[in-house]
Amino acid sequence: MSSPPPSSSSRSSTPLDAHDERTLTILYATETGTAQDVADSLARLCRCLHIRARVISMDVYSPSELINEHLVIFIVATTGTGREPRAMTPLWQMLLRADLPEDLFEDLTFAVFGLGDTSYAKFCWPAKLLSRRLQHLGAMELCARGEGDEQHHLGIQGALGPWMSTLSAVLLQIFPIPEGLTAEPLDNLPAPRVAIRSADKQARITRKDPLVTDRQYHNAVLTCNRRMTAPDWYQDVRHFEFELDENVQYEPGDVAVIHPEASSADVESFLACVGYANTADDPVEIHHVLEDQSLPDHLPAVTTIREIFTRYVDINAVPRRSFFALLKHFAQDDMEREKLEEFLTEEGADELYDYCQKPRRTIREVLEEFRSAKIPREYIFDVFPPLRPRQFSIASSNKAHPRSVQLCIAIVQYRTFLKIPRRGVCTTWLADLQPGHQLRIGFQKGFITLPSPSTPVICIGPGTGVAPMRAVIQDRTHDGVSSNTLYFGCRSASKDQHYGDEWTAYAQAGQLTYRAAFSRDGPEGTARTYVQDLIRADAERVWELVGERRAWVYISGSANKMPAAVRAAIAHAVETVGGREETEAIEYVANMEREGRLVEECWS
């Protein structure tokens, strides 16, 4: 049931320029944590200007609150090929309501900073749409929208630095520095966001784990951890099955949320490296001092330093620029401090990229080289990013597998020029779990909805993109629906054809049309075949389904060139068989998306 629209009559009548309190709200929507990092940086800027900032993730912010805000800064990441992060979806859906009055936000002043990558066509698309929609609803933009580009030689910082300078100047016009105070330099060492004190040992024994008490998560037991790719194949893709202790309702396209743990060996060597080993198991109390700075999800008030580095902060992340900006304050060696300061200059940006991003060097490895850095434990949550939960598209139907959830996961492992292979924290942890292991799993709503049983569906899911497609097909076949088509792509029929036996069985039963592209199985020297090539070859049938029978299309997988190539292949069918001009065919596909008949569930 949808909530009623915010009422303009419920708004405070105080305009911004007469608002006595030096306060504003920062709302962020993130997938990887970068937008959260930017939000924390903006809150520090506000503190330097003696402005109190309230920092909130959009997934815990009530959209109806927006009507009562006076000044909001939005920090918005981009996911897939141009979608908003899931955290932003409830707010965005509220803003898109057709019944909202055009003057709804006439007392709201806002600013937007988007995070994106210009190698994708819809660069910073959610930020652009948000800015435009707020203005259409009467809000006033405080300063020009900022757009951070991962392709910039300084990364996001290339646009963020100048934008923060502009924002700072505008904020000082609204909130002049109070008499007797001065603006604090942003480059100074900030106060720590927490105070950490020794705790009574009994306190940790009696404390409740916040993840266990969170009703959004459910008890699960691992019952299957099976490698699906051939033993001699370069990539390890696993099928996982978890038994739930209650009948959790989820839909095709929904997402399972899992909180990983760092390996005990990594944590042990890290604790020794940074000098925390001797007190790592002593109970400590954490007091959140600076509430404008975020803390990891589900962090307990009483814990240990070892548990913090195992469950709550990420020592295996590739560090952002903000990490080095803080680390320089703790380096005792002059040469090390000078090198850190050099990394932070525009001239040192390329060297920092070559040192850090290019080889995917981790925080743990950086600190093994900058050994003079002595990080006070109060600064742990300022220096180290949170160990974020991972989201995986569910690969099963709740109808076909009640009280169970299944996942299809590629175990992340690759090499750079560094000696030690790079490994994904969560997928490595999952791969090592044995049947019987208990954990908590959360569920989030996905972007997929299903049409009526009489409407055909076309599922396009190469690689592990087949996971939500499996959920869709299981759900429909369970209901006796047979008008299902799957386009699957991989390298080799015998090495990495995920769930190949299932698709063959469905096809033999008349429940599925299965089309598979094996890009490396063809004779040497011949062109490789991908899912988009099969769609082009099937133009007549694709048009029959899409144009004549109004089929719904789902695209899932890596947000590289595949989604655009699939769209082009569908447009080719519209043009060549449907009789449209090229521009009309492209618009036809775009209109399918606007109607909800074409849905992308892609990741970058």
Side-chain angles (χ1 to χ4, degrees):
M1 180 181 296
S2 61
S3 59
S7 170
S8 57
S9 63
S10 67
R11 181 201 305 277
S12 168
S13 60
T14 309
L16 180 61
D17 57 1
H19 196 52
D20 294 329
E21 293 185 15
R22 302 172 59 83
T23 63
L24 57 80
T25 298
I26 300 172
L27 296 178
Y28 68 88
T30 191
E31 288 280 316
T32 63
T34 306
Q36 182 177 358
D37 189 57
V38 170
D40 284 347
S41 297
L42 285 173
R44 284 195 294 272
L45 169 66
C46 290
R47 205 178 325 120
C48 289
L49 301 179
H50 304 282
I51 299 168
R52 187 166 61 87
R54 190 169 63 123
V55 181
I56 310 172
S57 173
M58 290 188 199
D59 62 345
V60 295
Y61 181 80
S62 175
S64 62
E65 284 188 46
L66 193 59
I67 193 70
N68 295 313
E69 303 283 1
H70 294 273
L71 178 54
V72 179
I73 301 172
F74 296 90
I75 312 299
V76 181
T78 309
T79 67
T81 56
R83 289 208 63 146
E84 78 279 359
R86 283 186 176 85
M88 180 180 167
T89 299
L91 177 64
W92 183 236
Q93 289 177 341
M94 184 276 285
L95 292 174
L96 289 178
R97 291 177 59 160
D99 59 348
L100 299 182
E102 292 183 358
D103 62 348
L104 179 66
F105 295 122
E106 63 181 356
D107 292 335
L108 174 66
T109 303
F110 74 95
V112 176
F113 187 84
L115 297 86
D117 187 324
T118 49
S119 65
Y120 295 95
K122 293 183 177 179
F123 170 64
C124 286
W125 207 248
K128 292 173 180 175
L129 294 177
L130 175 64
S131 177
R132 188 182 310 161
R133 182 58 177 161
L134 287 171
Q135 290 180 75
H136 285 171
L137 293 173
M140 183 180 73
E141 195 159 33
L142 183 67
C143 63
R145 181 181 62 251
E147 296 180 350
D149 180 13
E150 289 287 0
Q151 296 299 315
H152 191 283
H153 74 284
L154 292 176
I156 295 296
Q157 189 64 31
L160 180 61
W163 186 78
M164 286 180 63
S165 297
T166 300
L167 178 68
S168 176
V170 176
L171 288 175
L172 284 173
Q173 293 176 14
I174 300 171
F175 303 118
I177 298 294
E179 188 175 348
L181 297 175
T182 58
E184 299 173 7
L186 190 58
D187 194 46
N188 283 3
L189 176 65
R193 66 187 70 190
V194 301
I196 296 182
R197 306 186 183 104
S198 297
D200 182 77
K201 290 186 178 181
Q202 188 67 24
R204 182 161 186 258
I205 296 172
T206 58
R207 70 114 202 243
K208 292 184 177 179
D209 186 333
L211 186 60
V212 172
T213 58
D214 188 341
R215 291 182 173 271
Q216 300 299 313
Y217 286 78
H218 306 272
N219 292 328
V221 177
L222 177 66
T223 57
C224 176
N225 175 356
R226 171 172 56 86
R227 177 170 175 144
M228 292 194 292
T229 46
D232 60 346
W233 192 240
Y234 77 100
Q235 188 178 41
D236 181 359
V237 176
R238 300 286 180 102
H239 173 76
F240 292 92
E241 296 182 9
F242 299 92
E243 182 180 316
L244 304 170
D245 68 352
E246 54 189 318
N247 190 20
V248 180
Q249 297 298 311
Y250 60 85
E251 301 294 332
D254 286 358
V255 172
V257 183
I258 294 177
H259 286 257
E261 295 182 9
S263 80
S264 57
D266 285 353
V267 172
E268 189 66 44
S269 64
F270 170 81
L271 293 171
C273 172
V274 296
Y276 293 152
N278 290 340
T279 58
D281 297 305
D282 296 344
V284 293
E285 291 181 354
I286 299 172
H287 300 270
H288 196 178
V289 177
L290 298 181
E291 294 190 359
D292 63 354
Q293 300 291 290
S294 57
L295 292 178
D297 291 343
H298 302 101
L299 180 69
V302 179
T303 181
T304 66
I305 299 298
R306 184 185 303 279
E307 188 176 46
I308 289 172
F309 285 103
T310 300
R311 295 181 58 189
Y312 301 109
V313 299
D314 195 350
I315 58 175
N316 290 297
V318 177
R320 300 185 179 98
R321 188 179 184 277
S322 57
F323 168 83
F324 293 98
L326 275 175
L327 189 64
K328 71 176 184 180
H329 293 289
F330 304 121
Q332 310 296 309
D333 180 83
D334 290 342
M335 291 184 65
E336 288 187 5
R337 187 166 54 253
E338 287 173 10
K339 174 54 69 176
L340 291 169
E341 290 173 345
E342 184 182 325
F343 280 158
L344 297 169
T345 65
E346 185 163 355
E347 296 75 21
D350 289 340
E351 186 179 359
L352 178 58
Y353 176 83
D354 289 340
Y355 173 73
C356 201
Q357 279 75 26
K358 186 176 181 180
R360 311 299 292 170
R361 196 183 304 269
T362 67
I363 287 174
R364 183 166 53 91
E365 291 167 330
V366 169
L367 290 175
E368 286 171 354
E369 297 193 356
F370 289 85
R371 285 187 170 270
S372 79
K374 305 300 178 187
I375 302 168
R377 64 182 189 176
E378 287 76 13
Y379 279 93
I380 285 174
F381 300 105
D382 299 278
V383 174
F384 301 96
L387 180 55
R388 301 186 62 79
R390 295 336 193 237
Q391 301 169 326
F392 300 101
S393 292
I394 295 172
S396 56
S397 163
N398 186 235
K399 294 176 183 176
H401 301 280
R403 300 177 71 98
S404 173
V405 64
Q406 301 178 7
L407 306 176
C408 171
I409 299 176
I411 309 305
V412 178
Q413 180 173 330
Y414 59 95
R415 287 190 174 275
T416 65
F417 63 74
L418 297 179
K419 182 178 180 181
I420 300 174
R422 312 290 91 185
R423 289 186 170 89
V425 174
C426 188
T427 60
T428 299
W429 176 71
L430 283 170
D432 289 341
L433 296 184
Q434 299 299 313
H437 184 92
Q438 299 182 22
L439 70 161
R440 299 279 283 176
I441 297 180
F443 294 84
Q444 288 183 355
K445 187 64 184 168
F447 297 129
I448 290 175
T449 56
L450 295 184
S452 65
S454 61
T455 302
V457 300
I458 301 175
C459 300
I460 301 131
T464 54
V466 80
M469 305 298 96
R470 184 173 183 258
V472 168
I473 292 165
Q474 279 189 359
D475 202 86
R476 283 170 62 88
T477 55
H478 180 273
D479 288 345
V481 180
S482 60
S483 53
N484 311 304
T485 299
L486 172 63
Y487 286 92
F488 175 75
C490 64
R491 294 193 173 197
S492 170
S494 62
K495 301 291 187 180
D496 61 338
Q497 186 181 184
H498 311 327
Y499 304 111
D501 291 343
E502 289 185 22
W503 311 135
T504 301
Y506 281 133
Q508 290 174 347
Q511 298 171 305
L512 176 71
T513 299
Y514 180 46
R515 298 280 282 142
F518 307 115
S519 62
R520 302 299 194 273
D521 279 355
E524 190 172 343
T526 60
R528 292 172 179 171
T529 302
Y530 300 101
V531 288
Q532 58 265 30
D533 300 312
L534 296 183
I535 294 170
R536 283 179 175 270
D538 295 348
E540 287 193 12
R541 183 170 186 276
V542 169
W543 171 249
E544 178 198 344
L545 291 172
V546 168
E548 298 175 8
R549 299 178 61 190
R550 306 282 294 173
W552 287 28
V553 177
Y554 305 104
I555 305 171
S556 175
S558 178
N560 46 29
K561 298 177 181 178
M562 183 274 293
V566 166
R567 285 168 172 266
I570 296 171
H572 168 76
V574 176
E575 179 185 357
T576 58
V577 185
R580 305 296 205 277
E581 296 292 331
E582 181 181 357
T583 54
E584 292 176 329
I586 294 171
E587 178 58 24
Y588 185 96
V589 175
N591 195 50
M592 286 178 62
E593 184 171 24
R594 286 190 288 269
E595 294 174 347
R597 291 175 52 214
L598 188 151
V599 179
E600 285 188 12
E601 178 77 48
C602 298
W603 53 87
S604 51

